[in-house]
């Protein structure tokens, strides 16, 4: 995942830690390299600009330049800001009150149907929820069949009405069934489009008004980079989404979407798709993602433990006076 970004950042970090003291010039050079690495990974230009400005300021501070190991501290600062950029803490799915309705929305081929089934499996297996998958994509009969096959494969309830006139009718029926049969979670797989247009938005808004979903998750293909971020912005403007699922992170995605999504849309990435199999879905944790991108987990924990020691010493000293 994001190999070329990781490789480039690692090279920069190797240069930083390979020497003892760091000059302002060394820091400036490193910032420049990181800026280029992020831009090449297709991170949003403004996001890169703000990120570098914040990291740079902190790295040029007294504490780093005069610290015992400025190279390692710089890595820790980059890590901290990367975690912050992606939203700091994980954003869990809002599954109360029940039945919790989740709407999956997004463009053609982004991974809505696959992700719906993966999520159903996760909720059933790990959270012991009673889950129903609903085919609200009435555009193509094959879409209904695809979801039905996956529902059988992961072993959850499935609802479709092949004669329904509109997704609204499906939504109204499901609303009743979900309550009377006490489902915990009901996942709506909606129709995609080549691009977000008025008729799609109207259809989704109608469904939203009927089911009042706990979550509206935009499913976006990470390989699209900045295009995925722009799609998310449009869906958010139209529907006020609650979160983002970034799919196909196992492919040739460069990292731009993962790093820009939160800052540009203001909405958290909640889940990530990392393969075609039903088990290939993960909760999104900004710290773990930053670890993966930087590949510097041991340095980060080393600096954390040193900082903790320094804090304790300072506290002890204060206590003595
Ligand atoms: N490698 C990989 N492939 C994925 C991932 N998520 C989905 N796919 C694949 O992407 C293709 C499209 O997925 P679908 O779930 O059918 O996409 P969709 O959004 O429902 O598409 P429409 O219904 O046409 O709008 C399928 O071949 C999936 O197997 C992922 O995380 N990694
Ligand atoms: Mg689909």
């Amino acid at each position: 995942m994001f190999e070329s970004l990781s490789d480039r950042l690692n090279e920069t970090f190797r240069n930083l830690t390979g020497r003892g003291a760091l000059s302002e010039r060394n820091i400036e050079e490193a910032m420049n390299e990181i800026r280029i690495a992020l831009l090449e990974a297709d991170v949003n230009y403004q996001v890169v600009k703000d990120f570098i400005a914040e990291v740079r300021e902190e790295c040029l501070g007294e504490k780093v330049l005069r610290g015992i190991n400025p190279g390692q501290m710089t890595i820790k600062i980059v890590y901290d800001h990367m975690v912050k950029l992606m939203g700091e803490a994980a954003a869990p799915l809002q599954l109360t009150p029940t039945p919790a309705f989740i709407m999956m929305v997004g463009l053609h081929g982004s991974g809505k149907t696959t992700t719906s089934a993966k999520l159903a499996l996760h909720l059933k297996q790990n959270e012991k929820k009673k889950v129903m998958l609903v085919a609200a994509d009435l555009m193509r009969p094959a879409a209904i069949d695809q979801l039905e096959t996956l529902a059988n494969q992961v072993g959850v309830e499935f609802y479709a009405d092949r004669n329904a006139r509109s997704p609204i009718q499906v939504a109204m029926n499901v609303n009743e069934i979900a309550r009377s049969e006490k489902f915990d979670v009901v996942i709506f797989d909606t129709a995609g489009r080549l691009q977000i247009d008025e008729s799609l938005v109207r259809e989704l808004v109608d469904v939203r008004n009927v089911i009042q979903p706990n979550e509206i998750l935009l499913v976006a293909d990470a390989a699209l980079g900045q295009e995925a971020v722009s799609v998310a912005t449009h869906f958010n403007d139209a529907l006020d989404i609650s979160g983002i699922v970034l799919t196909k992170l196992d492919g040739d995605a460069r990292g731009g979407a993962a790093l820009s999504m939160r800052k540009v849309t203001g909405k958290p990435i909640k889940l990530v798709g990392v393969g075609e199999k039903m088990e290939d879905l993960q909760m999104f944790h900004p710290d773990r993602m930053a670890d993966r991108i930087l590949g510097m987990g041991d340095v980060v924990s080393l600096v954390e433990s040193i900082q903790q020691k320094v804090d304790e010493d300072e506290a002890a000293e204060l206590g003595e006076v």
Side-chain angles (χ1 to χ4, degrees), residues 18-316:
R19 52 182 118 214
L22 287 186
S23 66
E24 285 194 19
R25 171 117 189 247
N26 298 144
I27 299 267
E28 294 292 0
E29 275 168 11
M31 292 305 118
N32 203 30
E33 285 167 21
I34 296 172
R35 175 189 295 117
I36 294 168
L38 292 173
L39 289 172
E40 280 185 359
D42 200 23
V43 181
N44 173 281
Y45 173 75
Q46 191 62 45
V47 169
V48 175
K49 205 170 160 208
D50 296 347
F51 179 84
I52 294 293
E54 284 177 24
V55 172
R56 180 177 171 276
E57 189 184 325
E58 204 171 325
C59 289
L60 287 174
E62 292 275 300
K63 258 189 155 169
V64 175
L65 286 175
R66 307 226 167 151
I68 304 167
N69 196 327
Q72 290 182 338
M73 277 180 80
T74 304
I75 295 171
K76 170 77 162 76
I77 291 169
V78 172
Y79 169 85
D80 284 345
H81 283 270
M82 210 170 248
V83 174
K84 192 174 141 209
L85 183 61
M86 289 187 284
E88 210 88 61
L93 292 173
Q94 185 58 255
L95 297 179
T96 51
T98 54
F101 292 103
I102 301 179
M103 261 176 95
M104 299 297 217
V105 303
L107 296 185
H108 259 326
S110 56
K112 295 176 294 300
T113 305
T114 317
T115 305
S116 298
K118 286 176 176 174
L119 181 57
L121 175 65
H122 165 81
L123 293 172
K124 175 191 138 179
Q125 221 163 44
N126 304 329
E127 304 197 21
K128 308 288 170 243
K129 303 285 190 196
K130 184 179 176 187
V131 186
M132 175 159 60
L133 280 167
V134 177
D137 178 352
L138 303 177
M139 309 292 282
R140 298 170 298 130
I144 302 180
D145 298 338
Q146 184 195 1
L147 189 67
E148 183 168 24
T149 305
L150 292 175
N152 287 333
Q153 192 183 326
V154 301
V156 301
E157 286 290 324
F158 169 72
Y159 178 92
D161 178 353
R162 289 169 201 270
N163 299 316
R165 283 184 309 275
S166 74
I168 307 169
Q169 199 187 334
V170 171
M172 291 197 293
N173 293 345
V174 168
N175 221 343
E176 298 235 325
I177 297 169
R179 276 163 228 284
S180 63
E181 296 188 17
K182 299 204 164 31
F183 276 93
D184 297 312
V185 185
V186 180
I187 302 171
F188 280 72
D189 175 31
T190 68
R193 292 279 199 287
L194 282 175
Q195 59 194 44
I196 179 165
D197 59 29
E198 224 176 282
S199 78
L200 175 66
V201 169
R202 203 174 320 121
E203 180 178 309
L204 295 174
V205 167
D206 285 343
V207 171
R208 180 186 70 182
N209 291 344
V210 174
I211 61 175
Q212 312 261 324
N214 304 48
E215 293 275 358
I216 302 179
L217 299 178
L218 171 80
V219 181
D221 179 342
L224 296 182
Q226 281 324 289
E227 185 54 31
V229 181
S230 139
V231 166
T233 307
H234 286 124
F235 270 94
N236 192 35
D237 290 345
L239 286 168
D240 189 20
I241 62 173
S242 58
I244 295 155
V245 183
L246 211 50
T247 59
K248 311 188 194 181
L249 285 185
D250 52 308
D252 54 5
R254 284 182 288 165
L259 285 166
S260 319
M261 259 324 170
R262 175 63 194 250
K263 188 86 182 276
V264 177
T265 66
K267 296 296 165 74
I269 299 174
K270 295 200 168 185
L271 303 164
V272 290
V274 292
E276 293 192 77
K277 292 199 301 292
M278 287 296 106
E279 294 77 24
D280 295 334
L281 182 76
Q282 299 172 357
M283 301 295 121
F284 181 75
H285 294 275
D287 53 349
R288 286 183 211 166
M289 186 56 80
D291 264 353
R292 277 189 185 180
I293 295 173
L294 300 180
M296 288 279 160
D298 42 350
V299 173
V300 169
S301 33
L302 178 72
V303 175
E304 267 165 9
S305 62
I306 293 172
Q307 279 174 344
Q308 195 182 349
K309 176 89 177 51
V310 171
D311 289 349
E312 281 167 11
D313 288 353
E314 278 176 5

